[in-house]
Amino acid sequence: MRLSKYIAGCGVCSRRKAEEAILAGRVSVNGIIVAELGTKVAPGDAVSFDGAKISPEAKLVYIMLNKPEGYITTAREQFGRPSVLDLVPADGVRLVPVGRLDCATSGMLILTNDGELVYRLTHPSHDIRKTYISRIEGMLCEESIAQIRGGLIVDGYKTSRAHVKVLSVKEGSSLVEIAIKEGRNRQVRKIFDQLGHKIDSLRRVATGSLRLGDLRKGQWRHLANDEVAYLKNC
Ligand code: URA
């Protein structure tokens, strides 16, 4: 098995991050640092990551969290903001968020120690649909709706086609459902910003056909077997 796949299977990080770590000389096999991506691991080999021995996770864990606003999706940072990792069970398992939600955004976040799944779902070629509900200031005109549907230039690139639907309008603000397949940083915020609409709130309500449902903010649950199978095959 390739070394990067083995490291991801140990739940240390995604396969892509494992490749970066290998190239940076942070990984050794049988006591010897290996810096080549093609390195293979055989049963019985002792693999260390940053000097600590690692072995495949006995149990793979898949969790859906309703992330509250104000939490970051990385492990720690210099400003002391709380992390989503503070909200999910530790149980000696190293959970990794599948993709990101920005700090001000709430909603569905999948976390797992299955490095292979993280690698697949966050790979740029993977186009699972993420659905958001946003309260924006003002009303979306027909032209803006057409622009979101067809793609518009944001940060110098054209966004891919998106689904958008105005759910309701009240007191100068609109509740809008938007579904995108790309996973660029703060993409929904940038789309509305580009169209001149301030975002009051943004919540991810679905990933593919997995729905947040009535999971309350800050609460988590294990994914059911069929939900895990869906993510592995979508
Ligand atoms: N788009 C955003 O603007 N923020 C997120 O967290 C996810 C998608």
Side-chain angles (χ1 to χ4, degrees):
M1 180 192 294
R2 277 174 80 96
L3 182 54
S4 55
K5 189 169 179 182
Y6 179 90
I7 295 169
C10 291
V12 175
C13 56
S14 70
R15 220 198 293 177
R16 199 162 343 132
K17 293 270 181 229
E19 286 172 355
E20 287 169 17
I22 293 168
L23 291 175
R26 296 167 61 193
V27 180
S28 68
V29 178
N30 300 325
I32 297 165
I33 289 184
V34 286
E36 278 152 37
L37 294 183
T39 305
K40 295 266 186 342
V41 199
D45 280 342
V47 179
S48 296
F49 190 101
D50 284 344
K53 188 162 182 299
I54 57 171
S55 54
E57 295 278 346
K59 187 174 181 323
L60 293 175
V61 177
Y62 305 88
I63 277 176
M64 181 193 292
L65 170 74
N66 185 346
K67 173 193 169 307
E69 298 89 347
Y71 282 74
I72 55 167
T73 48
T74 45
R76 67 183 103 84
E77 54 128 39
Q78 77 227 58
F79 305 113
R81 290 176 295 183
S83 160
V84 291
L85 298 176
D86 302 333
L87 297 172
V88 291
D91 290 343
V93 171
R94 239 178 115 129
L95 292 173
V96 179
V98 179
R100 286 177 298 193
L101 279 182
D102 68 61
C103 187
T105 298
S106 64
M108 183 193 290
L109 189 66
I110 307 293
L111 297 107
T112 179
N113 58 346
D114 182 343
E116 269 305 292
L117 186 70
V118 177
Y119 176 78
R120 243 176 42 73
L121 290 181
T122 56
H123 196 274
S125 66
H126 202 280
D127 63 355
I128 193 165
R129 177 187 276 217
K130 277 89 56 182
T131 306
Y132 300 83
I133 292 187
S134 183
R135 171 138 327 259
I136 60 169
E137 289 187 2
M139 279 171 65
L140 274 182
C141 63
E142 285 303 322
E143 194 190 328
S144 294
I145 291 176
Q147 276 188 283
I148 297 174
R149 288 190 177 142
L152 68 162
I153 305 293
V154 170
D155 278 354
Y157 73 89
K158 188 167 185 218
T159 60
S160 63
R161 298 165 69 82
H163 154 97
V164 62
K165 185 174 167 192
V166 177
L167 301 175
S168 64
V169 178
K170 81 159 191 229
E171 292 162 12
S173 74
S174 310
L175 197 63
V176 179
E177 181 181 271
I178 176 167
I180 56 173
K181 289 189 168 177
E182 293 166 304
R184 293 176 194 259
N185 195 20
R186 302 172 68 83
Q187 185 161 349
V188 176
R189 289 179 187 279
K190 286 177 183 171
I191 288 173
F192 285 125
D193 190 48
Q194 180 74 21
L195 297 170
H197 292 274
K198 195 169 167 291
I199 286 195
D200 290 337
S201 67
L202 180 62
R203 176 166 53 109
R204 180 152 69 199
V205 293
T207 301
S209 66
L210 286 197
R211 300 206 65 87
L212 189 59
D214 54 12
L215 195 63
R216 283 180 295 127
K217 265 188 204 171
Q219 302 289 301
W220 61 270
R221 68 170 176 85
H222 288 288
L223 293 187
N225 289 343
D226 61 333
E227 292 175 320
V228 174
Y230 165 74
L231 287 179
K232 286 185 174 176
N233 293 306
C234 67

